[in-house]
Amino acid sequence: MLEVGPGTGLQSLHVAPQLGPEGRLDVLDIQPEMLDHVMRGAQRRGITNITATRADARDIPFADGTFDALYLVTALGEIPEPERVLAEAVRVLAPGGRLVVGEFFDRHWIPFGTLHRLADASGLHLAGRHGFTLAYLARFHPCSAAA
């Protein structure tokens, strides 16, 4: 699983232990300080299945079809050219993979309608949405997997 823009690791440190003994969470961020923060938190908690990668989410340095799942929580709006991020997500997702985008109202918030348009243009099919206007989670699959 890949998390883009983990920030201080609020999601990462909760998700990684749930992936089981064979699961791995890769966290990708352009800011080394954020990655260091996540890894320090993982070390304090004894979490050993997180791998940090410093990179730009517009050019994810993993092979096509690497991940079963990818998620971004309040990160997509902070990255220039979010459509490129979504296209990269489609590329690195394995067949049948899923993308989850979480947003809540802040200065980088992406309204659901905007996200839906960007996702459609990137070849993503909406599979579900939870929440309300100002705070939501949206799950997508690459359109080929949704067929």
Side-chain angles (χ1 to χ4, degrees):
M1 181 178 292
L2 176 63
E3 178 180 9
V4 172
T8 61
L10 180 65
Q11 309 303 324
S12 315
L13 300 174
H14 176 72
V15 169
Q18 297 182 56
L19 298 179
E22 301 298 317
R24 184 175 103 184
L25 178 64
D26 282 88
V27 293
L28 183 140
D29 203 303
I30 199 163
Q31 299 178 60
E33 302 82 13
M34 295 295 101
L35 296 171
D36 291 345
H37 197 290
V38 172
M39 298 311 290
R40 282 192 307 272
Q43 185 177 22
R44 279 193 306 273
R45 291 168 178 80
I47 299 169
T48 59
N49 64 335
I50 299 178
T51 302
T53 300
R54 182 173 182 237
D56 188 323
R58 296 172 295 179
D59 188 22
I60 298 175
F62 293 100
D64 296 2
T66 300
F67 297 100
D68 295 321
L70 187 153
Y71 68 96
L72 305 96
V73 177
T74 65
L76 189 61
E78 294 185 26
I79 305 168
E81 302 173 290
E83 64 280 359
R84 283 184 55 193
V85 177
L86 294 175
E88 278 292 277
V90 170
R91 183 185 66 75
V92 300
L93 282 171
R98 62 204 173 279
L99 166 69
V100 173
V101 177
E103 287 289 335
F104 66 84
F105 187 74
D106 70 359
R107 65 187 176 118
H108 303 291
W109 176 69
I110 294 181
F112 178 73
T114 301
L115 174 63
H116 199 183
R117 283 190 299 282
L118 290 169
D120 281 348
S122 298
L124 289 161
H125 171 77
L126 179 65
R129 176 185 171 198
H130 301 283
F132 55 97
T133 302
L134 300 179
Y136 64 85
L137 290 170
R139 188 180 72 233
F140 299 92
H141 297 281
C143 291
S144 59

